[in-house]
Amino acid sequence: MWYSYKTPKFHTSKPQKPNKNQSNSAMGVVEEAHNVKILGSGHRTIVLAHGFGTDQSVWKHLVPHLIDDYKVVLFDNMGAGTTNPEYFDFERYATLEGYAYDVIGILEELRVSSCVFVGHSMSAMIGAVAAVARPDLFSKLLMISASPRYLNDVDYFGGFEREDLDQLFEAIQSNFKAWCSGFAPLAVGSDMESVAVQEFSRTLFNMRPDIALSIAQTIFQSDMRELLCHVLVPCHIIQSMKDLAVPVVVSEYLHQNLGGESIVEVMSTEGHLPQLSSPDVVVPVLLRHIRCDIAV
C-alpha cells in the first residue's frame, strides 16, 4: 500500500544519455523514462505534475513565471503519450500508488530534499499518496481539480453514477478517436475551435488506447477518502467554479477531511484544465499559492 516504496520496473542498467536541460551531466533511468526536465535555478524546488490525457506541456503558461525564482521540475506520468508504452506496467498502475512511487523515485534520483508539489487532477491525489509515504519530501501540495472519489456514495457526491462510468469505459474501448473528440471539449469546457481543446485533444489522442482505458479505470474507480486524514502536509485546494469531472462540493470535502492544514480557493473559471484554458486567471492564483503559505 501507500506506506511502502517500491522500485519501478525500469530501474535497470542501461546507457544514460546526456541532456542539456539537466543540471547533472548524465540522466538517470527514472528521469529518462519520465522525460524529466529541470528549468530555473532557485533555492526552492517546484514540481509540476500533470493529469490524465495531458503531459508536461499543460504547464506551458505557468513555467515562464517560475523559472526566475525557482528550480522547476517537469515530468510525464507513465502512460502519457510522450512516454514509452513498453514501460507501462498495467498491474503497477492499477492503483495511484504506482504513480506515487514514481514521484518519490524522481525526487530521490534528483536528490530533492523538499519541494512544493503542484498536482493537477489525478496527480493531486498521487501527490497526497506520496506525501503520506514521504512527508519529508514535500513542504506543501497544490491540488488543482482534485477528487478523492468520482463515484457517488452514501453521504458523498463525487459527480458520477456507476452507469456513467460504464458508458465512459465502453466509449473509450469501442472508438478511442471518437471518444477523444467528444470528451476534450466537455472536459475543457469549451468548443472544438478553442486552442485549449485542440491542445488537450492532441495529448489525449497521443495515448495508446488500451493504456488510456486502464488509466481512466484506475482514476474513476479510485477511492482515496480514507487516505486523506493521513495527509499532514499543508494543502492548497484550487478548483474551477464549474468542472465536468469534479463538483465544487468535492473541494470542501477535501478541506474538511485532510489531516493537516488546508485552504480552498474556487476560481471563476470553467473546465477541468483551467491552467490550459484560462491561464490569465489561473496563473496568478497558482503563483500566490506557491509563494504564500497557509496562515495558522
Side-chain angles (χ1 to χ4, degrees):
M1 286 300 289
W2 39 264
Y3 0 131
S4 60
Y5 175 70
K6 297 177 184 176
T7 306
K9 72 170 187 176
F10 46 77
H11 267 228
T12 55
S13 298
K14 68 183 208 178
Q16 298 178 339
K17 61 182 183 183
N19 184 308
K20 64 183 179 182
N21 292 319
Q22 301 301 315
S23 54
N24 299 322
S25 60
M27 204 177 187
V29 178
V30 178
E31 293 173 68
E32 189 174 358
H34 290 276
N35 304 316
V36 172
K37 292 185 180 65
I38 303 170
L39 306 170
S41 56
H43 294 299
R44 294 187 77 188
T45 299
I46 311 292
V47 177
L48 303 179
H50 68 84
F52 172 70
T54 60
D55 56 41
Q56 60 187 262
S57 67
V58 78
W59 301 111
K60 64 183 181 181
H61 298 296
L62 176 63
V63 169
H65 298 274
L66 293 174
I67 53 177
D68 287 342
D69 300 312
Y70 302 97
K71 181 189 289 185
V72 180
V73 176
L74 293 155
F75 71 97
D76 295 330
N77 279 318
M78 202 51 60
T82 45
T83 61
N84 184 345
E86 296 304 311
Y87 282 150
F88 190 83
D89 182 331
F90 285 87
E91 183 180 353
R92 175 185 177 84
Y93 299 112
T95 69
L96 296 182
E97 283 85 350
Y99 297 95
Y101 305 142
D102 289 351
V103 168
I104 293 170
I106 290 167
L107 296 178
E108 288 186 337
E109 194 163 276
L110 296 178
R111 297 180 182 176
V112 172
S113 58
S114 180
C115 74
V116 173
F117 185 88
V118 182
H120 172 244
S121 192
M122 67 181 283
S123 279
M125 285 298 111
I126 290 166
V129 176
V132 170
R134 289 290 307 276
D136 56 301
L137 293 176
F138 303 90
S139 61
K140 64 180 171 185
L141 306 178
L142 268 66
M143 310 173 101
I144 307 165
S145 310
S147 177
R149 178 184 167 103
Y150 294 86
L151 265 175
N152 297 332
D153 197 6
V154 179
D155 298 327
Y156 177 81
F157 183 68
F160 293 85
E161 296 292 346
R162 169 52 62 184
E163 56 262 36
D164 298 328
L165 298 188
D166 290 342
Q167 289 171 13
L168 172 71
F169 303 147
E170 172 59 31
I172 295 173
Q173 200 162 20
S174 61
N175 190 331
F176 182 61
K177 187 172 185 178
W179 175 77
C180 290
S181 299
F183 181 73
L186 289 174
V188 174
S190 191
D191 55 47
M192 278 304 293
E193 302 307 309
S194 153
V195 174
V197 171
Q198 291 175 13
E199 179 68 10
F200 182 49
S201 298
R202 179 187 67 79
T203 55
L204 188 60
F205 191 60
N206 276 346
M207 299 178 75
R208 207 172 77 183
D210 58 332
I211 291 176
L213 174 62
S214 177
I215 297 173
Q217 290 170 331
T218 295
I219 296 166
F220 284 104
Q221 295 178 145
S222 64
D223 187 351
M224 312 302 289
R225 290 175 297 175
E226 290 188 5
L227 173 88
L228 299 179
C229 65
H230 300 282
V231 181
L232 304 180
V233 170
C235 293
H236 298 241
I237 303 154
I238 301 163
Q239 172 72 32
S240 280
M241 184 174 58
K242 186 178 178 184
D243 182 340
L244 168 83
V246 184
V248 172
V249 291
V250 172
S251 59
E252 187 57 31
Y253 181 89
L254 286 170
H255 180 50
Q256 296 298 332
N257 288 277
L258 284 161
E261 294 293 332
S262 65
I263 190 171
V264 178
E265 180 158 353
V266 178
M267 303 177 293
S268 61
T269 52
E270 289 192 18
H272 191 61
L273 297 96
Q275 74 274 41
L276 193 62
S277 58
S278 305
D280 291 350
V281 174
V282 177
V283 167
V285 171
L286 295 181
L287 291 175
R288 177 161 40 81
H289 284 276
I290 287 169
R291 291 167 180 158
C292 304
D293 294 332
I294 299 170
V296 240

